[in-house]
Amino acid sequence: MLLTKGDVETVLGEALAGGGDLAEVFVERRVTSTIALEGQRIERANSGLDQGAGIRLLADESSIYVFTNDLSLTGLKAAAQAASAALKEKTPGRKVIQLRPELAARPLAVTRGDLAAKVAVVFTAEKEARAGGDAIRQVMVSYGDSEQEVQIANSKGMLAADRRYRTTLVVNVVAGEGNEVQTGYESLGGTAGLELLTSDRVRELGARAARRALLLLKARPAPAGRMPVVLAGEAGGTMIHEACGHGLEADIVGKEMSVYAGKVGQRVASELVTVIDDPTLPGKYGSFSFDDEGTPAQKTVLIENGILKTYMYDLEWARRHGKDSTGNGRRQSFHFPPIPRMTNTYLAAGGTPPEEIIARTPHGLLVKRMGGGQVNPTTGDFVFDVAEGYLIENGKVTVPVRGATLTGNGPRALQAVDLVGTDLGFAIGTCGKDGQGVPVADAQPTIRIPELVVGGLL
């Protein structure tokens, strides 16, 4: 426990002394380490400790947030008093807070490893990538881990603690022939320690990044026009996350910035489409025991067989909408207030084998890896880069193409999905929103969209 139960009760009472509906304390201690390799040598190896607390006070639809690095009782009381003083509509009178017994997180059993072990992982990935041949011009590898201990309490009596250990490994490869230069990127991560980065996985990660860069050197320019698009399961769920997931976050809905606002109970996708957010999945990058408001992690079905069932709520937006929190209140650190965020978001697997989806597609584009993109959550319009794509001709995957983009509209694309595969591939990332980044995973099976606008090279 970072703070004693008595100290937390004192701070919550101090925050509510001037009025307010709900006071909350979020205490965090985070230890991080990063290693960066470039030019066949270690460029950086850093470690750090960050700790502090955030105090939030909710009153009607107002929210006040104060944070501090001072975890002494004096420092925390000062922060609580600052939050109380900022409340405009005061109802004076000190309140007594009695917290329930602390809800404990799942046991944390990970392999932490020392600096030498982590450096060895980085060099293993770099060596495997360079084994791709003389066309490999540059390899960059970055390793990161963080151990986060949090304690959350609120004036309703909730007290919870969670410990989260996350590890990532990212490989970037640059390949070139003559004036042609292409890149390959691969990443691996999860709520795990070094046991995640087995030698086989690390070598495969480096080799895949190199293969992608080399593949693109030989790829032909992508065709342009409207055509069927098959998104492979291994492409991850970038489109689901960006073109659908953000529009289902309650704050975006509440601000009338979502194309899904007011559509609960309505059909918003093909009956083959079920979208789930689930932070309880073991080992996934967006998993936790409790969210950053102390709500137990839970599986939330957002869209079921094409029907919109609910949005993702934190406590604040659940209060506003008369709902219960879905356990999606997340924050980057104690420096920030929580907001509704995705965790592990995926489109559920269907019943068609991936190879059958290809065979039933006379022509089109197969996307094996998505790149970056942009989405307008108000309209659902999106554009994504394709990092690895292939032509589908006569029901078979033929040649690789480069330079493709996908342009469309999220709701219309989900309405059009006509085949859903039996596979399910996950990808990891850091989701940015309102200036905060949080770890997430997304996934999808192989799916077919009968028509999307594909932008190619001229």
Side-chain angles (χ1 to χ4, degrees):
M1 182 180 288
L2 293 167
L3 299 179
T4 67
K5 188 176 175 183
D7 284 353
V8 175
E9 289 172 341
T10 298
V11 173
L12 289 170
E14 202 73 42
L16 280 177
D21 302 322
L22 180 76
E24 173 194 81
V25 177
F26 176 85
V27 188
E28 178 185 27
R29 183 179 188 274
R30 187 195 299 257
V31 178
T32 59
S33 67
T34 59
I35 300 170
L37 178 150
E38 187 173 349
Q40 298 181 277
R41 67 180 185 180
I42 299 296
E43 283 287 317
R44 298 184 303 280
N46 301 323
S47 61
L49 166 65
D50 192 20
Q51 63 180 15
I55 296 171
R56 184 171 59 151
L57 189 56
L58 301 180
D60 296 326
E61 293 194 355
S62 298
S63 177
I64 297 163
Y65 193 74
V66 177
F67 68 88
T68 178
N69 289 102
D70 186 351
L71 290 183
S72 69
L73 182 58
T74 301
L76 292 169
K77 288 173 66 176
Q81 289 161 3
S84 179
L87 189 65
K88 293 180 180 178
E89 300 296 333
K90 294 194 173 187
T91 306
R94 191 171 297 276
K95 298 183 179 179
V96 177
I97 308 299
Q98 290 186 320
L99 296 172
R100 294 186 288 271
E102 183 175 271
L103 300 173
R106 291 190 295 263
L108 187 64
V110 300
T111 303
R112 289 170 173 80
D114 58 16
L115 178 62
K118 298 171 186 177
V119 168
V121 165
V122 169
F123 274 111
T124 296
E126 192 261 356
K127 179 180 178 182
E128 199 67 27
R130 288 200 174 274
D134 294 337
I136 302 298
R137 293 183 177 178
Q138 191 172 15
V139 178
M140 293 158 285
V141 183
S142 61
Y143 165 93
D145 63 47
S146 71
E147 183 166 8
Q148 182 195 30
E149 184 178 3
V150 300
Q151 183 182 34
I152 314 125
N154 68 33
S155 55
K156 301 296 184 185
M158 186 280 300
L159 176 63
D162 202 2
R163 297 187 72 178
R164 307 148 182 172
Y165 197 103
R166 290 187 171 91
T167 299
T168 58
L169 185 68
V170 177
V171 182
N172 279 287
V173 174
V174 179
E177 282 184 354
N179 294 326
E180 186 66 39
V181 176
Q182 295 293 336
T183 61
Y185 167 91
E186 284 291 337
S187 62
L188 178 64
T191 49
L194 273 183
E195 74 275 9
L196 175 71
L197 304 178
T198 63
S199 294
D200 287 347
R201 287 173 178 162
V202 171
R203 286 198 294 269
E204 177 57 23
L205 199 73
R208 281 208 311 266
R211 282 200 298 269
R212 178 163 300 118
L214 294 169
L215 178 79
L216 292 176
L217 287 177
K218 306 296 184 184
R220 68 169 65 169
R226 295 180 180 275
M227 66 186 72
V229 172
V230 175
L231 299 176
E234 62 192 274
T238 301
M239 194 182 81
I240 296 301
H241 177 101
E242 298 289 352
C244 173
H246 280 299
L248 299 177
E249 292 168 335
D251 55 339
I252 293 178
V253 173
K255 296 172 184 174
E256 299 184 350
M257 295 171 59
S258 170
V259 69
Y260 295 105
K263 294 187 177 178
V264 171
Q266 298 182 26
R267 178 168 296 285
V268 297
S270 158
E271 64 179 6
L272 300 175
V273 170
T274 292
V275 178
I276 296 167
D277 184 84
D278 189 357
T280 70
L281 296 175
K284 297 304 180 188
Y285 200 46
S287 297
F288 46 73
S289 297
F290 300 92
D291 74 358
D292 293 329
E293 297 176 314
T295 303
Q298 60 186 275
K299 177 180 178 180
T300 303
V301 178
L302 302 167
I303 298 173
E304 186 172 29
N305 299 326
I307 305 299
L308 178 58
K309 308 301 288 188
T310 188
Y311 305 118
M312 287 171 276
Y313 288 99
D314 66 353
L315 287 176
E316 181 177 354
W317 283 93
R319 286 175 70 245
R320 294 189 186 194
H321 291 180
K323 303 287 186 179
D324 293 327
S325 171
T326 54
N328 289 93
R330 306 187 69 192
R331 62 186 104 199
Q332 179 174 311
S333 71
F334 68 89
H335 297 272
F336 300 91
I339 52 177
R341 307 297 297 267
M342 284 173 272
T343 62
N344 305 308
T345 310
Y346 62 96
L347 194 158
T352 307
E355 56 273 20
E356 183 180 330
I357 295 177
I358 298 295
R360 291 170 60 179
T361 305
H363 73 281
L365 180 72
L366 170 64
V367 178
K368 281 198 171 184
R369 182 66 69 182
M370 297 285 282
Q374 294 181 340
V375 176
N376 182 338
T378 305
T379 63
D381 293 339
F382 65 77
V383 58
F384 291 112
D385 295 326
V386 175
E388 183 179 349
Y390 299 81
L391 288 183
I392 301 173
E393 299 172 294
N394 300 316
K396 295 181 179 179
V397 179
T398 57
V399 298
V401 295
R402 66 172 184 259
T405 60
L406 303 179
T407 302
N409 175 273
R412 286 201 288 272
L414 291 182
Q415 290 273 12
V417 169
D418 66 348
L419 291 171
V420 177
T422 53
D423 53 341
L424 190 65
F426 278 85
I428 66 165
T430 298
C431 176
K433 177 183 171 185
D434 291 357
Q436 301 190 45
V438 296
V440 297
D442 48 53
Q444 66 169 59
T446 298
I447 61 174
R448 185 174 74 176
I449 302 171
E451 184 177 279
L452 276 181
V453 174
V454 176
L457 296 176
L458 299 176

